[in-house]
Amino acid sequence: EEVGACSMANAGGAGEAFFLEEEMNPAKIVEYLESPRDYDKARGMKWLLAMMSKGRDASGFFSAVVKNVVAKSVEVKKMVYMYLGQYAESSAQCRELALLSVNSFQKDLAASNQLIRALALRVLTSIRVPDLSQIQLMAIEKCAGDSSPYVRKVAANAVAKYTRDGDVDVARKVLETLLGDASVMVLGSAVMAFAELGFPLDLLHPVYRKLCHLLADLDEWAQIVALDVLRRYVRSHFADPAPAARSISKALKTAKRSGPTVVKRRTVKPAFYSDEEDEEVEEEVLVRGDDESISIDRRRAGAAHQGDNDDDDDDFFGVKTLTTTTTK
């Protein structure tokens, strides 16, 4: 979809719509790509991007395209990197040809154009060769500190690709840096990489509150992933909001078998994010074995006494609740 959108942008002008509408002789495309003029190179690349947009295989032109990675024209270089990012891993031959241009990829990581830097990193990290792992890691670390948010976003996406075969510990440090980024664009990609790699949820401790505040500003796809990550984080690191809920089902089963039963539930000290950090509550619930109706009256520290009517209601439902509160 991204390649299609870019090719439409490049070929969607008033006089260039025919790139998508007409066919071109493959030999003529190769001639354009091998021409010394940037205009002809750009023309050949537009034909290839149009083919890719229509879902056709254009990997047969890889050897002619990879030579143009050193082109001086920014327009040509952008289209070359789009093509290489699509087909760098399509076959063993394409992979070998891409390896010959690694030095050019590294050089373009310092280009003045942010899109060129991002595309160079994307292509470099798309080559799955173990011998390149250190070069790829250095490129990711460099781009993670880039001045452009877009380049840092691509670095976050590259972390997920690199960690599948690379050093997990080093990639985790880079991801920690990206999770603390001030840009919403970078944060969204970092969260998606975090979810894909399955790092421990403790990694979100420093950024949990920021992620909650910026959730509405993330793009739609990142919001879906972020909500799932936050859901797992809250379940793991927050206190149970209904501590007696787990005791009810157990009390029901026990009451049916053995008659009157006393179920004790002591609420632990609330989690770090709770406002009630100094309170502990102990609840005792008496469940009658001949009545399946259960009602629990939970009282926090400082709650007003509800009077004798509460005792009548408890007796009606077959439950007697005693609450003991200890304040530290």
Side-chain angles (χ1 to χ4, degrees):
E1 293 179 359
E2 181 179 354
V3 172
C6 292
S7 62
M8 288 294 290
N10 288 319
E16 298 181 348
F18 65 90
F19 285 112
L20 295 171
E21 298 172 355
E22 299 181 5
E23 300 294 334
M24 171 59 68
N25 188 343
K28 189 66 175 179
I29 296 179
V30 174
E31 181 181 343
Y32 281 139
L33 295 174
E34 294 180 350
S35 172
R37 298 195 307 167
D38 289 337
Y39 173 80
D40 291 337
K41 294 179 185 292
R43 191 176 179 85
M45 289 306 305
K46 288 176 182 179
W47 281 112
L48 291 181
L49 294 181
M51 291 176 59
M52 295 163 60
S53 299
K54 292 184 287 187
R56 299 183 181 179
D57 183 17
S59 59
F61 300 92
F62 195 93
S63 59
V65 173
V66 74
K67 299 175 183 178
N68 294 310
V69 73
V70 296
K72 296 181 179 181
S73 172
V74 175
E75 180 187 10
V76 173
K77 184 165 289 190
K78 288 179 183 178
M79 292 187 286
V80 168
Y81 273 122
M82 291 176 193
Y83 177 92
L84 295 179
Q86 183 74 13
Y87 293 110
E89 282 291 314
S90 61
S91 66
Q93 181 182 3
C94 292
R95 187 183 304 110
E96 292 296 329
L97 291 173
L99 287 174
L100 298 177
S101 302
V102 168
N103 290 335
S104 298
F105 301 154
Q106 290 181 281
K107 181 180 179 180
D108 285 339
L109 291 175
S112 58
N113 189 301
Q114 62 175 353
L115 184 58
I116 296 298
R117 299 198 300 271
L119 290 173
L121 177 63
R122 181 178 299 172
V123 174
L124 182 60
T125 53
S126 296
I127 304 174
R128 304 293 181 84
V129 177
D131 295 339
L132 286 180
S133 59
Q134 292 301 318
I135 296 177
Q136 291 172 335
L137 179 59
M138 293 174 59
I140 294 173
E141 289 179 322
K142 179 179 180 179
C143 291
D146 195 275
S147 59
S148 169
Y150 179 73
V151 178
R152 299 198 300 272
K153 171 187 172 67
V154 175
N157 295 331
V159 170
K161 293 190 293 183
Y162 170 81
T163 308
R164 293 168 184 162
D165 302 316
D167 192 337
V168 178
D169 295 333
V170 178
R172 174 174 175 167
K173 294 180 181 179
V174 175
L175 189 59
E176 286 181 0
T177 302
L178 294 172
L179 284 171
D181 199 281
S183 172
V184 177
M185 179 190 303
V186 180
L187 181 61
S189 294
V191 171
M192 296 179 73
F194 172 84
E196 181 177 351
L197 297 174
F199 283 135
L201 293 173
D202 295 347
L203 198 65
L204 297 179
H205 284 332
V207 298
Y208 168 74
R209 292 182 182 274
K210 182 183 76 170
L211 185 58
C212 291
H213 288 305
L214 297 179
L215 182 62
D217 297 329
L218 300 178
D219 63 82
E220 292 82 356
W221 300 108
Q223 284 180 358
I224 296 174
V225 178
L227 285 172
D228 182 67
V229 170
L230 290 175
R231 175 186 59 82
R232 293 190 289 115
Y233 179 85
V234 168
R235 288 186 175 182
S236 300
H237 296 90
F238 279 66
D240 190 350
R246 300 180 187 275
S247 300
I248 295 177
S249 59
K250 180 179 178 181
L252 281 171
K253 295 178 182 179
T254 307
K256 291 180 180 180
R257 295 194 302 266
S258 58
T261 305
V262 176
V263 180
K264 293 184 178 180
R265 174 69 180 183
R266 185 174 184 85
T267 304
V268 297
K269 185 176 180 179
F272 174 78
Y273 299 100
S274 175
D275 294 332
E276 303 175 356
E277 298 183 358
D278 298 328
E279 298 180 1
E280 290 184 357
V281 179
E282 180 179 298
E283 298 177 340
E284 295 182 358
V285 182
L286 179 60
V287 183
R288 294 183 181 178
D290 56 349
D291 195 336
E292 296 184 2
S293 299
I294 302 298
S295 175
I296 296 180
D297 179 17
R298 292 183 296 160
R299 299 181 177 88
R300 288 291 186 181
H305 184 64
Q306 296 182 358
D308 296 335
N309 292 334
D310 290 339
D311 295 337
D312 295 338
D313 293 340
D314 289 340
D315 289 339
F316 176 77
F317 287 106
V319 179
K320 186 71 174 180
T321 303
L322 301 176
T323 304
T324 303
T325 302
T326 302
T327 303
K328 292 184 178 181

